[in-house]
Amino acid sequence: MSFNPAGPLVSVGGVRVIVTGSAGFIGSHVVEEFEAAGHEVVGLDVADGLDVRDDAALDRVLPGADLVAHQAAKVGLGVDVSDLPDYASVNVHGTAVLLAAMARHGIGRLVLASSMVIYGEGAYDCPEHGRVRPGPRAVADLERGRFEPPCPRCGAALAHAVIGEDAPPDPRNAYATSKLAQEHLAANWARETGGHAVALRYHNVYGPRMPRDTPYAGVAAIFRSALEAGRPPRVFEDGRQLRDFVHVRDVARANLAAATTVPPPGTLAAYNIASGTPRTVGEMAAALAAARGGPAPVVTGEYRLGDVRHIVASPDRARAGLGFRAACGFDAGMKEFAFS
């Protein structure tokens, strides 16, 4: 296959794809997906001594590439403000160095791993004021177990709604801020070079090779680690917070779909990558516990500052623009993940 700058990939042999973060949870699946489609893949990962912040390393691997799938990132909510320099260095500075190198070597196609965290809270409707975006929840409310955000105008109870890609960003932690910065840098690169950029806003990704229990792990990995140790998953708040859990193999498929869909030159196109079927965090914990035969989850009422209440994705743009639909169902995916 080769890249046609005016259209999608056309079948005439394999293309050369650089995957950053290729040894990571998502990146390793992206590598497999591109290889299965017949492409030549070159991995770049800090685990192999190749850092996206290293110009010399980039100059060794980028020549001759047709596309970069940029997965490398410091992930997770973070521990405290001491993490700020790493998020800025790896995610922001690293992306800037990569984009500059792509321009230097004439590579005009980018698929960027972005995240739903850039939205902050999801979308909500007030019975009086319509669509509203509540601000961060008050500590006093969280302490009292009042987890649902109120209308920022009248204080009324809100109904959650799906969030589309045109929602204004509202990043609420260092990771979220760094992911939004990546999108802005990619848009700058596209405008200045005439390149084609696609940002995939991953929702809650889970599946085989997900990192084990660390301060930066996703909630699914934390619950699985507890169950493996014979402990009940500890579910924060009341367990009713909504997320969209999307399987890592579907995320890898979305990367391939993004590589075969060319936005207009000089632009960045963003897509939610989600299953389209939201579940509560409590449901996810219960599904993992059931798959492993217990123990049952414990709802603690605890909370983390920086967490949002509900974020439910609209998958419509990805379906229309990328032809992407998630294929792995929640029940089957969680049964596999429980032992992966």
Side-chain angles (χ1 to χ4, degrees), residues 11-222:
S11 237
V12 292
V15 301
R16 191 166 190 261
V17 179
I18 306 298
V19 178
T20 71
S22 57
F25 165 45
I26 297 175
S28 63
H29 287 275
V30 172
V31 168
E32 291 175 353
E33 188 70 22
F34 276 102
E35 288 180 338
H39 302 300
E40 176 192 357
V41 178
V42 177
L44 191 156
D45 197 282
V46 70
D48 302 318
L50 296 172
D51 194 312
V52 293
R53 296 167 291 184
D54 183 344
D55 269 323
L58 293 174
D59 287 340
R60 288 196 300 272
V61 302
L62 289 184
D66 301 286
L67 168 77
V68 173
H70 183 30
Q71 311 294 316
K74 180 179 176 68
V75 300
L77 182 62
V79 176
D80 54 39
V81 292
S82 66
D83 285 321
L84 289 173
D86 275 350
Y87 281 114
S89 178
V90 176
N91 297 357
V92 183
H93 178 64
T95 298
V97 173
L98 174 65
L99 292 171
M102 289 175 62
R104 191 161 63 244
H105 292 284
I107 302 167
R109 297 289 304 279
L110 172 71
V111 178
L112 171 68
S114 187
S115 173
M116 57 87 175
V117 295
I118 70 164
Y119 297 124
E121 278 287 353
Y124 295 85
D125 291 324
C126 171
E128 181 176 352
H129 297 107
R131 182 60 50 87
V132 295
R133 295 294 301 278
R137 294 175 292 171
V139 172
D141 287 340
L142 295 171
E143 288 286 350
R144 294 186 182 97
R146 298 174 182 169
F147 301 121
E148 296 290 340
C151 176
R153 297 178 63 183
C154 69
L158 299 174
H160 63 81
V162 296
I163 195 162
E165 291 84 350
D166 294 329
D170 184 18
R172 299 192 178 179
N173 55 60
Y175 174 61
T177 299
S178 72
K179 297 307 286 184
L180 181 59
Q182 286 184 319
E183 287 199 18
H184 287 318
L185 288 168
N188 296 155
W189 165 84
R191 282 193 297 271
E192 294 181 24
T193 66
H196 306 267
V198 177
L200 302 180
R201 293 175 181 167
Y202 302 158
H203 284 250
N204 288 69
V205 187
Y206 73 97
R209 301 176 213 151
M210 193 173 191
R212 297 288 165 174
D213 191 2
T214 76
Y216 305 96
V219 65
I222 292 171

Side-chain angles (χ1 to χ4, degrees), residues 246-299:
V246 58
H247 197 279
V248 67
R249 287 194 294 272
D250 281 327
V251 169
R253 289 177 46 247
N255 275 266
L256 183 61
T260 63
T261 305
V262 181
T267 64
L268 178 141
Y271 298 95
N272 285 326
I273 301 302
S275 72
T277 307
R279 302 281 182 155
T280 69
V281 173
E283 285 178 302
M284 187 266 287
L288 287 176
R292 293 191 64 93
V298 174
V299 177

